[in-house]
Amino acid sequence: MDWQELTPRQIVAELDKYIIGQERAKRTVAIALRNRYRRKQLPEHLREEVAPKNILMIGPTGIGKTEIARRLARLVKAPFVKVEATKFTEVGYVGRDVEGMVRDLVDVAVRMVEQEKMAKVEYQAEELANLRLVEALGLVPPAKRRRVSVPFGFGRDVEDRDDEGKDDSYERLRRQYLLRVKAGDFDEEEVEIEVEDQQPPFFVNVLGPQGMEQVGFDPADVLGSFFPKRKRKRRMKVKDARRVLMQEEAQKLIDKDEVVREAIQRVEEDGIIFLDELDKIAGREKGVGPDVSREGVQRDLLPIVEGSTVMTRYGPVHTHHVLFIAAGAFHVTKPSDLIPELQGRLPLRVELDPLGKEEFKRILTEPENALVKQYTALLATEGITLQFADEAIDAIAHYAQRVNEETENIGARRLHTIMEKVLEDISFRAPELSGETIVVDAEYVRRQLEGVLKDRDLSRYIL
């Protein structure tokens, strides 16, 4: 089903497959997403006037803020980037220009559109790759070519055949071997192929990513016409060479200009930027120390969130309809500590609920990517059948909540730590336990965690 046909209720149902609880946050992002669809149905003159309602999520780490935004973007196949606001607090040293997040978003969109278009020409690319493999394997002699002149003094290569009969026999032989290559008869043989060198030119390495980001264009694109594409020979198995050649042929079959146009349009209409750790740049100036840059970063973010034009290596990109989802714990600061102008650009606020034992139990078992399902599948690759008793799930959730209360509360991420500790011995001995069925019960969980939990200092260090 096309995402534009999804109602807010259906969007929440899709998010429920991966995220436990947080109904208010899911409803808020579902409405924001549906409003994008509604905006596209408006007349042109009114469509430009409708700005996205950016969202501010408030809550501690590990309760699903990032996951909600990421799953939302994946659901609608929208370009998505996550950035930490603290990256912008030391521009000129190790920080980044705030416009960099828009350039990152465009890069993501270009790769996304490129992959989609390459998938559409996969069959043609495979045919061309197999033809190149037939010649590279030496199964048929390469076609003799001669130079013919064309107007204005240029020339081009054409295949030169002695007579019609030889041409037919050559084509029959080539088709015969082509079928064998496609069938995989030569997959394990080694072949030497000539491919374009993907390494960037020296001037790109000199500038580096930071320099590329600041200038807003790709020197390789600007100066590429002065430098012929370098090719190099690689030796590998036919099955691996086929994949490399398919990639190269698919790149030739797609229209790069169309990819860029569609990517920029997708960014401007459907892009999502998740701005994390916003609370770390909240607060007023103190005149000295690290706080000096906080309000400055907020003012730098303001025009991007409000809507401006950012120069990228692919051309200008407008951020007026990009959806910004900001998040922060706001333990020390409050949303009201942000400058009023930035507060006004984040009109929708939702406070996420803290997670407890019952939520942990559901997180372990219910989602499509539940931890219990992950570990069961991982150990099944070693031939182990892993089974979790209900009381074991209850015990793991209990210990996760307890450690969160006694140390730093990192939410559901604590479950990863607990699960790794519980299954450490099984994971280590997995190759020796192949073919066995192992039942994890509450007693096993207690034994694995008992030594660590007794020593408070040790539990702080390990769990």
Side-chain angles (χ1 to χ4, degrees), residues 3 6 8 11 27-42 47 50-54 269 323 348:
W3 73 266
L6 294 173
I11 293 170
R27 286 168 64 94
T28 301
V29 297
I31 293 170
L33 192 62
R34 186 64 176 181
N35 280 339
R36 282 190 158 184
Y37 165 75
R38 293 164 180 158
R39 173 182 164 272
K40 291 180 180 179
Q41 312 309 309
L42 296 175
R47 189 185 309 164
V50 179
K53 304 300 184 290
N54 298 320
E269 297 293 323
L323 177 64
L348 302 184

PDB file of all heavy atoms in Angstrom, residues 3 6 8 11 27-42 47 50-54 269 323 348:
ATOM      1  N   TRP A   3       2.094   4.816   0.996  1.00  0.00           N
ATOM      2  CA  TRP A   3       1.997   5.456   2.304  1.00  0.00           C
ATOM      3  C   TRP A   3       0.974   6.588   2.309  1.00  0.00           C
ATOM      4  O   TRP A   3       0.372   6.881   3.352  1.00  0.00           O
ATOM      5  CB  TRP A   3       3.365   5.986   2.737  1.00  0.00           C
ATOM      6  CG  TRP A   3       3.832   7.210   1.998  1.00  0.00           C
ATOM      7  CD1 TRP A   3       4.625   7.251   0.908  1.00  0.00           C
ATOM      8  CD2 TRP A   3       3.545   8.568   2.333  1.00  0.00           C
ATOM      9  NE1 TRP A   3       4.851   8.543   0.510  1.00  0.00           N
ATOM     10  CE2 TRP A   3       4.202   9.377   1.371  1.00  0.00           C
ATOM     11  CE3 TRP A   3       2.802   9.190   3.330  1.00  0.00           C
ATOM     12  CZ2 TRP A   3       4.128  10.767   1.391  1.00  0.00           C
ATOM     13  CZ3 TRP A   3       2.732  10.571   3.342  1.00  0.00           C
ATOM     14  CH2 TRP A   3       3.390  11.343   2.390  1.00  0.00           C
ATOM     15  N   LEU A   6      -2.325   5.704   3.677  1.00  0.00           N
ATOM     16  CA  LEU A   6      -2.429   5.325   5.089  1.00  0.00           C
ATOM     17  C   LEU A   6      -3.126   6.411   5.900  1.00  0.00           C
ATOM     18  O   LEU A   6      -2.770   7.594   5.802  1.00  0.00           O
ATOM     19  CB  LEU A   6      -1.039   5.069   5.681  1.00  0.00           C
ATOM     20  CG  LEU A   6      -0.253   3.873   5.143  1.00  0.00           C
ATOM     21  CD1 LEU A   6       1.152   3.862   5.715  1.00  0.00           C
ATOM     22  CD2 LEU A   6      -0.966   2.569   5.487  1.00  0.00           C
ATOM     23  N   PRO A   8      -4.066   8.143   9.664  1.00  0.00           N
ATOM     24  CA  PRO A   8      -3.296   8.249  10.911  1.00  0.00           C
ATOM     25  C   PRO A   8      -3.389   6.997  11.780  1.00  0.00           C
ATOM     26  O   PRO A   8      -2.398   6.580  12.382  1.00  0.00           O
ATOM     27  CB  PRO A   8      -3.927   9.460  11.610  1.00  0.00           C
ATOM     28  CG  PRO A   8      -4.408  10.314  10.482  1.00  0.00           C
ATOM     29  CD  PRO A   8      -4.883   9.349   9.436  1.00  0.00           C
ATOM     30  N   ILE A  11      -1.101   4.425  10.313  1.00  0.00           N
ATOM     31  CA  ILE A  11       0.305   4.783  10.552  1.00  0.00           C
ATOM     32  C   ILE A  11       0.712   4.373  11.960  1.00  0.00           C
ATOM     33  O   ILE A  11       1.786   3.799  12.170  1.00  0.00           O
ATOM     34  CB  ILE A  11       0.513   6.292  10.335  1.00  0.00           C
ATOM     35  CG1 ILE A  11       0.311   6.652   8.863  1.00  0.00           C
ATOM     36  CG2 ILE A  11       1.913   6.715  10.800  1.00  0.00           C
ATOM     37  CD1 ILE A  11       0.250   8.136   8.588  1.00  0.00           C
ATOM     38  N   ARG A  27       0.700   9.295  17.723  1.00  0.00           N
ATOM     39  CA  ARG A  27      -0.438  10.029  17.149  1.00  0.00           C
ATOM     40  C   ARG A  27       0.024  11.357  16.562  1.00  0.00           C
ATOM     41  O   ARG A  27      -0.411  11.774  15.487  1.00  0.00           O
ATOM     42  CB  ARG A  27      -1.508  10.267  18.219  1.00  0.00           C
ATOM     43  CG  ARG A  27      -2.312   9.028  18.595  1.00  0.00           C
ATOM     44  CD  ARG A  27      -3.137   9.279  19.850  1.00  0.00           C
ATOM     45  NE  ARG A  27      -4.137  10.322  19.625  1.00  0.00           N
ATOM     46  CZ  ARG A  27      -5.401  10.105  19.264  1.00  0.00           C
ATOM     47  NH1 ARG A  27      -5.805   8.845  19.048  1.00  0.00           N
ATOM     48  NH2 ARG A  27      -6.253  11.085  19.100  1.00  0.00           N
ATOM     49  N   THR A  28       0.942  12.017  17.262  1.00  0.00           N
ATOM     50  CA  THR A  28       1.425  13.326  16.808  1.00  0.00           C
ATOM     51  C   THR A  28       2.151  13.213  15.476  1.00  0.00           C
ATOM     52  O   THR A  28       1.904  13.991  14.546  1.00  0.00           O
ATOM     53  CB  THR A  28       2.356  13.949  17.862  1.00  0.00           C
ATOM     54  OG1 THR A  28       1.647  14.090  19.100  1.00  0.00           O
ATOM     55  CG2 THR A  28       2.836  15.328  17.417  1.00  0.00           C
ATOM     56  N   VAL A  29       3.067  12.237  15.367  1.00  0.00           N
ATOM     57  CA  VAL A  29       3.816  12.097  14.105  1.00  0.00           C
ATOM     58  C   VAL A  29       2.903  11.584  12.991  1.00  0.00           C
ATOM     59  O   VAL A  29       3.103  11.927  11.817  1.00  0.00           O
ATOM     60  CB  VAL A  29       5.049  11.176  14.276  1.00  0.00           C
ATOM     61  CG1 VAL A  29       6.029  11.770  15.266  1.00  0.00           C
ATOM     62  CG2 VAL A  29       4.661   9.766  14.670  1.00  0.00           C
ATOM     63  N   ALA A  30       1.909  10.773  13.338  1.00  0.00           N
ATOM     64  CA  ALA A  30       0.968  10.268  12.325  1.00  0.00           C
ATOM     65  C   ALA A  30       0.159  11.417  11.726  1.00  0.00           C
ATOM     66  O   ALA A  30      -0.067  11.473  10.511  1.00  0.00           O
ATOM     67  CB  ALA A  30       0.041   9.221  12.938  1.00  0.00           C
ATOM     68  N   ILE A  31      -0.267  12.341  12.571  1.00  0.00           N
ATOM     69  CA  ILE A  31      -1.019  13.506  12.084  1.00  0.00           C
ATOM     70  C   ILE A  31      -0.125  14.384  11.214  1.00  0.00           C
ATOM     71  O   ILE A  31      -0.542  14.879  10.163  1.00  0.00           O
ATOM     72  CB  ILE A  31      -1.592  14.305  13.275  1.00  0.00           C
ATOM     73  CG1 ILE A  31      -2.662  13.470  13.992  1.00  0.00           C
ATOM     74  CG2 ILE A  31      -2.171  15.633  12.812  1.00  0.00           C
ATOM     75  CD1 ILE A  31      -3.113  14.060  15.319  1.00  0.00           C
ATOM     76  N   ALA A  32       1.134  14.580  11.656  1.00  0.00           N
ATOM     77  CA  ALA A  32       2.073  15.394  10.872  1.00  0.00           C
ATOM     78  C   ALA A  32       2.288  14.781   9.496  1.00  0.00           C
ATOM     79  O   ALA A  32       2.373  15.493   8.486  1.00  0.00           O
ATOM     80  CB  ALA A  32       3.393  15.523  11.626  1.00  0.00           C
ATOM     81  N   LEU A  33       2.371  13.472   9.446  1.00  0.00           N
ATOM     82  CA  LEU A  33       2.573  12.783   8.173  1.00  0.00           C
ATOM     83  C   LEU A  33       1.332  12.899   7.286  1.00  0.00           C
ATOM     84  O   LEU A  33       1.435  13.155   6.081  1.00  0.00           O
ATOM     85  CB  LEU A  33       2.890  11.309   8.437  1.00  0.00           C
ATOM     86  CG  LEU A  33       3.410  10.515   7.249  1.00  0.00           C
ATOM     87  CD1 LEU A  33       4.722  11.089   6.757  1.00  0.00           C
ATOM     88  CD2 LEU A  33       3.583   9.053   7.625  1.00  0.00           C
ATOM     89  N   ARG A  34       0.170  12.736   7.875  1.00  0.00           N
ATOM     90  CA  ARG A  34      -1.066  12.837   7.099  1.00  0.00           C
ATOM     91  C   ARG A  34      -1.254  14.253   6.559  1.00  0.00           C
ATOM     92  O   ARG A  34      -1.777  14.448   5.460  1.00  0.00           O
ATOM     93  CB  ARG A  34      -2.252  12.431   7.979  1.00  0.00           C
ATOM     94  CG  ARG A  34      -3.575  12.367   7.236  1.00  0.00           C
ATOM     95  CD  ARG A  34      -3.570  11.292   6.172  1.00  0.00           C
ATOM     96  NE  ARG A  34      -4.878  11.166   5.508  1.00  0.00           N
ATOM     97  CZ  ARG A  34      -5.154  10.285   4.563  1.00  0.00           C
ATOM     98  NH1 ARG A  34      -4.226   9.441   4.168  1.00  0.00           N
ATOM     99  NH2 ARG A  34      -6.344  10.245   4.017  1.00  0.00           N
ATOM    100  N   ASN A  35      -0.803  15.243   7.342  1.00  0.00           N
ATOM    101  CA  ASN A  35      -0.911  16.627   6.884  1.00  0.00           C
ATOM    102  C   ASN A  35      -0.082  16.870   5.632  1.00  0.00           C
ATOM    103  O   ASN A  35      -0.421  17.731   4.816  1.00  0.00           O
ATOM    104  CB  ASN A  35      -0.477  17.593   7.993  1.00  0.00           C
ATOM    105  CG  ASN A  35      -1.578  17.808   9.015  1.00  0.00           C
ATOM    106  OD1 ASN A  35      -2.756  17.567   8.731  1.00  0.00           O
ATOM    107  ND2 ASN A  35      -1.214  18.239  10.203  1.00  0.00           N
ATOM    108  N   ARG A  36       1.006  16.120   5.474  1.00  0.00           N
ATOM    109  CA  ARG A  36       1.801  16.234   4.244  1.00  0.00           C
ATOM    110  C   ARG A  36       0.976  15.778   3.038  1.00  0.00           C
ATOM    111  O   ARG A  36       1.017  16.401   1.980  1.00  0.00           O
ATOM    112  CB  ARG A  36       3.054  15.377   4.353  1.00  0.00           C
ATOM    113  CG  ARG A  36       4.143  16.005   5.195  1.00  0.00           C
ATOM    114  CD  ARG A  36       5.430  15.246   5.064  1.00  0.00           C
ATOM    115  NE  ARG A  36       6.552  16.097   5.419  1.00  0.00           N
ATOM    116  CZ  ARG A  36       7.821  15.736   5.323  1.00  0.00           C
ATOM    117  NH1 ARG A  36       8.120  14.547   4.881  1.00  0.00           N
ATOM    118  NH2 ARG A  36       8.784  16.570   5.655  1.00  0.00           N
ATOM    119  N   TYR A  37       0.259  14.679   3.224  1.00  0.00           N
ATOM    120  CA  TYR A  37      -0.604  14.190   2.143  1.00  0.00           C
ATOM    121  C   TYR A  37      -1.707  15.203   1.844  1.00  0.00           C
ATOM    122  O   TYR A  37      -1.994  15.507   0.678  1.00  0.00           O
ATOM    123  CB  TYR A  37      -1.208  12.844   2.540  1.00  0.00           C
ATOM    124  CG  TYR A  37      -2.368  12.420   1.684  1.00  0.00           C
ATOM    125  CD1 TYR A  37      -2.169  11.941   0.389  1.00  0.00           C
ATOM    126  CD2 TYR A  37      -3.682  12.513   2.160  1.00  0.00           C
ATOM    127  CE1 TYR A  37      -3.242  11.560  -0.413  1.00  0.00           C
ATOM    128  CE2 TYR A  37      -4.755  12.138   1.367  1.00  0.00           C
ATOM    129  CZ  TYR A  37      -4.536  11.666   0.091  1.00  0.00           C
ATOM    130  OH  TYR A  37      -5.586  11.307  -0.698  1.00  0.00           O
ATOM    131  N   ARG A  38      -2.302  15.760   2.906  1.00  0.00           N
ATOM    132  CA  ARG A  38      -3.381  16.730   2.715  1.00  0.00           C
ATOM    133  C   ARG A  38      -2.876  17.965   1.980  1.00  0.00           C
ATOM    134  O   ARG A  38      -3.567  18.519   1.117  1.00  0.00           O
ATOM    135  CB  ARG A  38      -3.965  17.117   4.074  1.00  0.00           C
ATOM    136  CG  ARG A  38      -4.700  15.977   4.766  1.00  0.00           C
ATOM    137  CD  ARG A  38      -4.928  16.273   6.234  1.00  0.00           C
ATOM    138  NE  ARG A  38      -5.635  15.169   6.901  1.00  0.00           N
ATOM    139  CZ  ARG A  38      -5.606  14.934   8.200  1.00  0.00           C
ATOM    140  NH1 ARG A  38      -4.887  15.731   8.990  1.00  0.00           N
ATOM    141  NH2 ARG A  38      -6.265  13.927   8.714  1.00  0.00           N
ATOM    142  N   ARG A  39      -1.664  18.386   2.313  1.00  0.00           N
ATOM    143  CA  ARG A  39      -1.100  19.584   1.674  1.00  0.00           C
ATOM    144  C   ARG A  39      -0.944  19.376   0.166  1.00  0.00           C
ATOM    145  O   ARG A  39      -1.180  20.291  -0.626  1.00  0.00           O
ATOM    146  CB  ARG A  39       0.255  19.905   2.308  1.00  0.00           C
ATOM    147  CG  ARG A  39       1.004  21.025   1.628  1.00  0.00           C
ATOM    148  CD  ARG A  39       2.358  21.286   2.263  1.00  0.00           C
ATOM    149  NE  ARG A  39       3.185  22.082   1.373  1.00  0.00           N
ATOM    150  CZ  ARG A  39       3.968  21.586   0.428  1.00  0.00           C
ATOM    151  NH1 ARG A  39       4.077  20.269   0.282  1.00  0.00           N
ATOM    152  NH2 ARG A  39       4.664  22.376  -0.363  1.00  0.00           N
ATOM    153  N   LYS A  40      -0.554  18.155  -0.223  1.00  0.00           N
ATOM    154  CA  LYS A  40      -0.344  17.890  -1.646  1.00  0.00           C
ATOM    155  C   LYS A  40      -1.647  17.912  -2.443  1.00  0.00           C
ATOM    156  O   LYS A  40      -1.620  18.016  -3.669  1.00  0.00           O
ATOM    157  CB  LYS A  40       0.353  16.536  -1.822  1.00  0.00           C
ATOM    158  CG  LYS A  40       1.798  16.540  -1.334  1.00  0.00           C
ATOM    159  CD  LYS A  40       2.447  15.188  -1.523  1.00  0.00           C
ATOM    160  CE  LYS A  40       3.889  15.211  -1.024  1.00  0.00           C
ATOM    161  NZ  LYS A  40       4.565  13.910  -1.174  1.00  0.00           N
ATOM    162  N   GLN A  41      -2.781  17.805  -1.765  1.00  0.00           N
ATOM    163  CA  GLN A  41      -4.069  17.829  -2.449  1.00  0.00           C
ATOM    164  C   GLN A  41      -4.592  19.251  -2.642  1.00  0.00           C
ATOM    165  O   GLN A  41      -5.598  19.455  -3.328  1.00  0.00           O
ATOM    166  CB  GLN A  41      -5.120  17.023  -1.656  1.00  0.00           C
ATOM    167  CG  GLN A  41      -4.680  15.653  -1.205  1.00  0.00           C
ATOM    168  CD  GLN A  41      -4.091  14.814  -2.319  1.00  0.00           C
ATOM    169  OE1 GLN A  41      -4.694  14.671  -3.378  1.00  0.00           O
ATOM    170  NE2 GLN A  41      -2.906  14.251  -2.075  1.00  0.00           N
ATOM    171  N   LEU A  42      -3.901  20.232  -2.047  1.00  0.00           N
ATOM    172  CA  LEU A  42      -4.368  21.614  -2.113  1.00  0.00           C
ATOM    173  C   LEU A  42      -4.010  22.248  -3.450  1.00  0.00           C
ATOM    174  O   LEU A  42      -3.078  21.809  -4.133  1.00  0.00           O
ATOM    175  CB  LEU A  42      -3.737  22.433  -0.983  1.00  0.00           C
ATOM    176  CG  LEU A  42      -4.096  22.037   0.453  1.00  0.00           C
ATOM    177  CD1 LEU A  42      -3.285  22.857   1.442  1.00  0.00           C
ATOM    178  CD2 LEU A  42      -5.590  22.223   0.705  1.00  0.00           C
ATOM    179  N   ARG A  47      -0.948  25.608  -1.447  1.00  0.00           N
ATOM    180  CA  ARG A  47      -0.014  24.575  -1.010  1.00  0.00           C
ATOM    181  C   ARG A  47       1.266  25.180  -0.443  1.00  0.00           C
ATOM    182  O   ARG A  47       1.795  24.725   0.569  1.00  0.00           O
ATOM    183  CB  ARG A  47       0.320  23.665  -2.194  1.00  0.00           C
ATOM    184  CG  ARG A  47       1.112  22.428  -1.834  1.00  0.00           C
ATOM    185  CD  ARG A  47       1.499  21.660  -3.085  1.00  0.00           C
ATOM    186  NE  ARG A  47       0.348  21.417  -3.944  1.00  0.00           N
ATOM    187  CZ  ARG A  47       0.433  21.056  -5.211  1.00  0.00           C
ATOM    188  NH1 ARG A  47       1.620  20.900  -5.779  1.00  0.00           N
ATOM    189  NH2 ARG A  47      -0.662  20.853  -5.931  1.00  0.00           N
ATOM    190  N   VAL A  50       1.164  26.397   3.314  1.00  0.00           N
ATOM    191  CA  VAL A  50       1.011  25.447   4.427  1.00  0.00           C
ATOM    192  C   VAL A  50       2.381  24.913   4.827  1.00  0.00           C
ATOM    193  O   VAL A  50       3.013  24.158   4.077  1.00  0.00           O
ATOM    194  CB  VAL A  50       0.074  24.281   4.043  1.00  0.00           C
ATOM    195  CG1 VAL A  50      -0.049  23.301   5.205  1.00  0.00           C
ATOM    196  CG2 VAL A  50      -1.294  24.815   3.653  1.00  0.00           C
ATOM    197  N   ALA A  51       2.840  25.310   5.996  1.00  0.00           N
ATOM    198  CA  ALA A  51       4.150  24.874   6.492  1.00  0.00           C
ATOM    199  C   ALA A  51       3.984  23.640   7.377  1.00  0.00           C
ATOM    200  O   ALA A  51       2.930  23.457   7.999  1.00  0.00           O
ATOM    201  CB  ALA A  51       4.817  25.996   7.278  1.00  0.00           C
ATOM    202  N   PRO A  52       5.002  22.782   7.451  1.00  0.00           N
ATOM    203  CA  PRO A  52       4.897  21.606   8.326  1.00  0.00           C
ATOM    204  C   PRO A  52       4.875  22.018   9.792  1.00  0.00           C
ATOM    205  O   PRO A  52       5.482  23.021  10.180  1.00  0.00           O
ATOM    206  CB  PRO A  52       6.157  20.811   7.990  1.00  0.00           C
ATOM    207  CG  PRO A  52       7.126  21.814   7.456  1.00  0.00           C
ATOM    208  CD  PRO A  52       6.300  22.841   6.753  1.00  0.00           C
ATOM    209  N   LYS A  53       4.172  21.247  10.594  1.00  0.00           N
ATOM    210  CA  LYS A  53       4.116  21.510  12.040  1.00  0.00           C
ATOM    211  C   LYS A  53       5.218  20.678  12.692  1.00  0.00           C
ATOM    212  O   LYS A  53       5.059  19.493  12.955  1.00  0.00           O
ATOM    213  CB  LYS A  53       2.736  21.124  12.605  1.00  0.00           C
ATOM    214  CG  LYS A  53       1.573  21.828  11.909  1.00  0.00           C
ATOM    215  CD  LYS A  53       1.678  23.336  12.042  1.00  0.00           C
ATOM    216  CE  LYS A  53       0.471  24.022  11.422  1.00  0.00           C
ATOM    217  NZ  LYS A  53       0.445  23.924   9.946  1.00  0.00           N
ATOM    218  N   ASN A  54       6.361  21.325  12.923  1.00  0.00           N
ATOM    219  CA  ASN A  54       7.505  20.622  13.498  1.00  0.00           C
ATOM    220  C   ASN A  54       7.219  20.187  14.924  1.00  0.00           C
ATOM    221  O   ASN A  54       6.413  20.799  15.635  1.00  0.00           O
ATOM    222  CB  ASN A  54       8.744  21.518  13.445  1.00  0.00           C
ATOM    223  CG  ASN A  54       9.137  21.869  12.026  1.00  0.00           C
ATOM    224  OD1 ASN A  54       9.070  21.024  11.138  1.00  0.00           O
ATOM    225  ND2 ASN A  54       9.510  23.116  11.793  1.00  0.00           N
ATOM    226  N   GLU A 269       9.962  18.025  -0.381  1.00  0.00           N
ATOM    227  CA  GLU A 269       8.566  17.687  -0.110  1.00  0.00           C
ATOM    228  C   GLU A 269       8.392  16.692   1.033  1.00  0.00           C
ATOM    229  O   GLU A 269       7.409  16.765   1.768  1.00  0.00           O
ATOM    230  CB  GLU A 269       7.925  17.115  -1.385  1.00  0.00           C
ATOM    231  CG  GLU A 269       7.857  18.089  -2.542  1.00  0.00           C
ATOM    232  CD  GLU A 269       6.904  19.243  -2.282  1.00  0.00           C
ATOM    233  OE1 GLU A 269       5.856  19.013  -1.665  1.00  0.00           O
ATOM    234  OE2 GLU A 269       7.216  20.375  -2.692  1.00  0.00           O
ATOM    235  N   LEU A 323      10.292  18.387   7.312  1.00  0.00           N
ATOM    236  CA  LEU A 323       9.749  18.174   8.658  1.00  0.00           C
ATOM    237  C   LEU A 323      10.890  17.996   9.650  1.00  0.00           C
ATOM    238  O   LEU A 323      11.735  17.121   9.490  1.00  0.00           O
ATOM    239  CB  LEU A 323       8.844  16.939   8.677  1.00  0.00           C
ATOM    240  CG  LEU A 323       8.260  16.542  10.034  1.00  0.00           C
ATOM    241  CD1 LEU A 323       7.329  17.623  10.572  1.00  0.00           C
ATOM    242  CD2 LEU A 323       7.521  15.207   9.957  1.00  0.00           C
ATOM    243  N   LEU A 348       4.495  21.770  17.978  1.00  0.00           N
ATOM    244  CA  LEU A 348       3.885  20.565  18.555  1.00  0.00           C
ATOM    245  C   LEU A 348       4.847  19.943  19.563  1.00  0.00           C
ATOM    246  O   LEU A 348       5.969  19.578  19.213  1.00  0.00           O
ATOM    247  CB  LEU A 348       3.552  19.549  17.464  1.00  0.00           C
ATOM    248  CG  LEU A 348       2.602  20.032  16.361  1.00  0.00           C
ATOM    249  CD1 LEU A 348       2.295  18.893  15.402  1.00  0.00           C
ATOM    250  CD2 LEU A 348       1.320  20.594  16.943  1.00  0.00           C
TER     251      LEU A 348
END
